[in-house]
Amino acid sequence: TKNLLYSFALTSQLSYDDTKFLMALCGYEFDLANVKDVVMTYLLSQKVYNRSMIDAALTEYKVANLFLK
């Protein structure tokens, strides 16, 4: 699922382009009408991999269901 790919991308510190390529291989794409996709696009394109910053962004925009612990 996209949630698994997002979690993998953040924990592996993939770039936005690498994540976009991986998602395309799996039959997914970013949908900028979706809040979760917008937040993930921002985090990946700005290379925000700091866990507390990720958690703050996900909480701020009420993004859930990622496999991050």
Side-chain angles (χ1 to χ4, degrees), residues 34-65:
N34 181 305
V35 173
K36 184 185 295 185
D37 289 10
V38 172
V39 172
M40 293 304 299
T41 297
Y42 176 80
L43 292 172
L44 294 168
S45 65
Q46 296 301 310
K47 297 181 173 135
V48 176
Y49 303 117
N50 178 291
R51 185 54 193 264
S52 61
M53 293 177 74
I54 291 169
D55 289 343
L58 298 177
T59 300
E60 177 74 23
Y61 292 97
K62 298 177 177 73
V63 174
N65 300 326

Side-chain angles (χ1 to χ4, degrees), residues 3-69:
N3 290 336
L4 181 61
L5 293 172
Y6 288 156
S7 300
F8 178 75
L10 289 174
T11 57
S12 301
Q13 298 185 3
L14 295 181
S15 68
Y16 170 76
D17 289 332
D18 289 342
T19 303
K20 189 175 176 180
F21 179 75
L22 179 61
M23 288 176 56
L25 285 175
C26 296
Y28 296 106
E29 61 184 24
F30 286 100
D31 176 9
L32 297 182
N34 181 305
V35 173
K36 184 185 295 185
D37 289 10
V38 172
V39 172
M40 293 304 299
T41 297
Y42 176 80
L43 292 172
L44 294 168
S45 65
Q46 296 301 310
K47 297 181 173 135
V48 176
Y49 303 117
N50 178 291
R51 185 54 193 264
S52 61
M53 293 177 74
I54 291 169
D55 289 343
L58 298 177
T59 300
E60 177 74 23
Y61 292 97
K62 298 177 177 73
V63 174
N65 300 326
L66 294 184
F67 302 102
L68 300 173
K69 296 278 178 191

